[in-house]
Amino acid sequence: MSRDSERNWKPATSLVHGGTLRSEHGETSEAIYLTQGYVYDSAEAAEARFKGETQGFIYSRYANPTVDMFEKRMCALEGAEDARATASGMAAVTAAILCGLRAGDHILAARALFGSCRWVVETLAPKYGIEATLIDGTDIANWEKAVRPNTKLFFFESPTNPTLEVIDIAAVSALARSVGARVVVDNVFATPLQQKPLELGAHTVVYSATKHIDGQGRCLGGIVLSDKKWIDENLHDYFRHTGPSLSPFNAWTLLKGLETLPLRVRQQTESAGRIADFLADHPKVARVIYPGRADHPQASLVARQMTGGSTLICIELKGGKQAAFAFENALGIVLISNNLGDAKSLITHPATTTHKNLTDQARAELGIGPGTVRLSVGLEDAGDLIDDLDQALKAA
Ligand SMILES: *Cc1c(COP(=O)(O)O)cnc(C)c1O
């Protein structure tokens, strides 16, 4: 099959066949090349490989056929020229943020960030002379005001964790481009199916593949997708020499996850929409935030830049922490876990788990109250989930 025909495939086809490197054995399912190294026919062949005169693999810290398949399949889905897979989402985020910067540069980031992303921007980068400013990213005026002559990188996630705020990717990217800065979007919450940051003007997209891409709670993984020139100049040597490489076994698991990604995300989003509607009308619920409902604070932006809602719901319970804990403890199907994007529905109380390291003020700025819980909707029957939530709300 030629790569040319691959270019016209719809996502569901790319996710089953894209990037396949079938061996001489003709296996149907992708092979797991669980190997550290590669052998050469001769000393001359090794020399030529190292000189770059022949194509091929050298060492699995540099590249591996199973990992390569995962990268190519993700490129086809995202419409990206190139990608590098990583051992976790945080390895991808760290590389995407730090590799293009140097001491004296400035990062402008939306403050509603996954906790570890916020640590990289706010704590790690400044240790190496890279300053960062965190703003409320929902208003483009805040980005304009905070730009400095040395701002080289804009970074944000959308929708955000856990309050599902949405940031205008096209507007922020246009501003960044006008000041010569690059845009990195953490697209985990939207998934590659429901939002295309590169088409909206971003330069680089990062994923924690741990979430919907695996989708069945097994492997950590991540990926950085961008233009080939930027990856060649900024990521290539960093990956070879610092080793954030993805394990071939995990790459294989993620490849199999990609095959069913559209089915899972579509079903989980549909169930989440039903559940959000049920919760919004419930007397024990103060507020539901769900991209895809007409009462989302940025409903028109959601409609403009996303093709679906979300598999996540942010719920504000009446009765604060006590009600939130009683609710979580009374659930029978939904499990208490800080992960997301899984086939199993998971619930977490951000103020005491994922966002416990923030100050009370920082949490309040993000809209995380003592009664806030984040629900990641899984693949169970939506009616069963609604029954479970209903009986737990009665207990709360
Ligand atoms: C989980 C997550 C990460 C980190 O990914 P890991 O695979 O856990 O390292 C980064 N960003 C967002 C938005 C996430 O949800």
Side-chain angles (χ1 to χ4, degrees):
M1 227 164 347
S2 76
R3 286 255 179 257
D4 276 353
S5 68
E6 284 198 19
R7 218 171 294 144
N8 299 319
W9 286 345
K10 303 281 187 305
T13 311
S14 290
L15 287 170
V16 175
H17 294 288
T20 299
L21 285 173
R22 192 161 277 122
S23 83
E24 71 273 25
H25 303 300
E27 66 281 352
T28 314
S29 179
E30 297 73 11
I32 310 177
Y33 291 92
L34 207 53
T35 181
Q36 299 167 341
Y38 305 86
V39 296
Y40 311 94
D41 290 339
S42 64
E44 289 77 10
E47 182 183 35
R49 189 77 56 85
F50 270 77
K51 277 185 174 166
E53 291 168 2
T54 58
Q55 291 286 307
F57 296 93
I58 292 175
Y59 189 55
S60 285
R61 172 155 35 80
Y62 293 10
N64 169 280
T66 312
V67 176
D68 198 59
M69 286 191 257
F70 174 63
E71 291 172 345
K72 291 210 164 65
R73 196 167 287 184
M74 282 298 299
C75 284
L77 175 62
E78 198 69 44
E81 284 177 10
D82 205 358
R84 287 291 184 278
T86 53
S88 70
M90 281 321 303
V93 169
T94 305
I97 290 178
L98 294 183
C99 284
L101 300 178
R102 61 184 65 238
D105 289 345
H106 174 245
I107 303 170
L108 190 49
R111 67 190 177 194
L113 289 179
F114 182 77
S116 298
C117 297
R118 188 157 170 160
W119 182 85
V120 169
V121 169
E122 216 175 19
T123 308
L124 182 66
K127 281 170 77 173
Y128 301 98
I130 299 164
E131 284 184 71
T133 307
L134 291 172
I135 55 165
D136 171 359
T138 56
D139 185 350
I140 187 72
N142 294 336
W143 295 91
E144 281 163 4
K145 268 184 286 187
V147 172
R148 298 184 192 168
N150 59 338
T151 304
K152 293 285 165 55
L153 187 86
F154 285 37
F155 176 64
F156 58 94
E157 55 186 70
S158 180
T160 63
N161 176 30
T163 50
L164 306 175
E165 280 178 357
V166 178
I167 291 173
D168 190 333
I169 300 174
V172 173
S173 299
L175 172 67
R177 284 174 183 267
S178 76
V179 299
R182 290 183 63 94
V183 179
V184 177
V185 177
D186 180 335
N187 205 36
V188 167
F189 272 49
T191 82
L193 295 163
Q194 298 186 338
Q195 182 167 275
K196 299 271 186 226
L198 298 180
E199 286 174 12
L200 295 167
H203 297 87
T204 301
V205 178
V206 290
Y207 290 100
S208 164
T210 313
K211 312 295 166 53
H212 305 82
I213 292 173
D214 176 316
Q216 291 159 82
R218 300 162 297 194
C219 293
L220 296 182
I223 191 161
V224 186
L225 300 119
S226 195
D227 55 282
K228 187 168 179 331
K229 181 170 183 285
W230 186 80
I231 288 186
D232 284 347
E233 289 174 3
N234 297 279
L235 289 191
H236 184 76
D237 288 343
Y238 172 85
F239 271 66
R240 285 186 163 217
H241 304 308
T242 70
S245 347
L246 179 63
S247 138
F249 180 82
N250 289 4
W252 177 82
T253 309
L254 298 171
L255 272 167
K256 303 318 281 181
L258 286 178
E259 292 185 341
T260 57
L261 181 71
L263 292 173
R264 289 183 284 104
V265 168
R266 194 184 310 140
Q267 183 59 53
Q268 286 168 248
T269 303
E270 197 184 300
S271 297
R274 268 182 70 186
I275 292 166
D277 290 344
F278 161 76
L279 292 169
D281 292 335
H282 201 284
K284 295 225 171 146
V285 173
R287 186 174 178 215
V288 162
I289 307 174
Y290 182 70
R293 270 181 61 86
D295 61 0
H296 187 280
Q298 299 144 291
S300 67
L301 177 57
V302 171
R304 215 163 55 236
Q305 82 179 14
M306 295 180 70
T307 55
S310 174
T311 65
L312 292 130
I313 306 171
C314 181
I315 308 158
E316 183 69 40
L317 293 167
K318 294 175 185 167
K321 179 179 171 184
Q322 205 186 341
F325 274 32
F327 171 61
E328 286 194 349
N329 290 336
L331 288 163
I333 299 172
V334 179
L335 305 171
I336 301 170
S337 174
N338 45 285
N339 205 358
L340 62 100
D342 199 283
K344 295 178 170 63
S345 291
L346 306 175
I347 198 155
T348 192
H349 182 250
T352 52
T353 60
T354 54
H355 291 71
K356 78 164 181 21
N357 289 339
L358 295 183
T359 61
D360 289 345
Q361 193 202 331
R363 265 197 301 275
E365 281 171 5
L366 298 178
I368 302 168
T372 304
V373 292
R374 184 195 73 196
L375 176 64
S376 171
V377 176
L379 283 172
E380 303 94 338
D381 181 85
D384 285 347
L385 291 173
I386 288 172
D387 288 348
D388 191 31
L389 295 162
D390 192 31
Q391 65 79 25
L393 282 167
K394 289 197 177 93

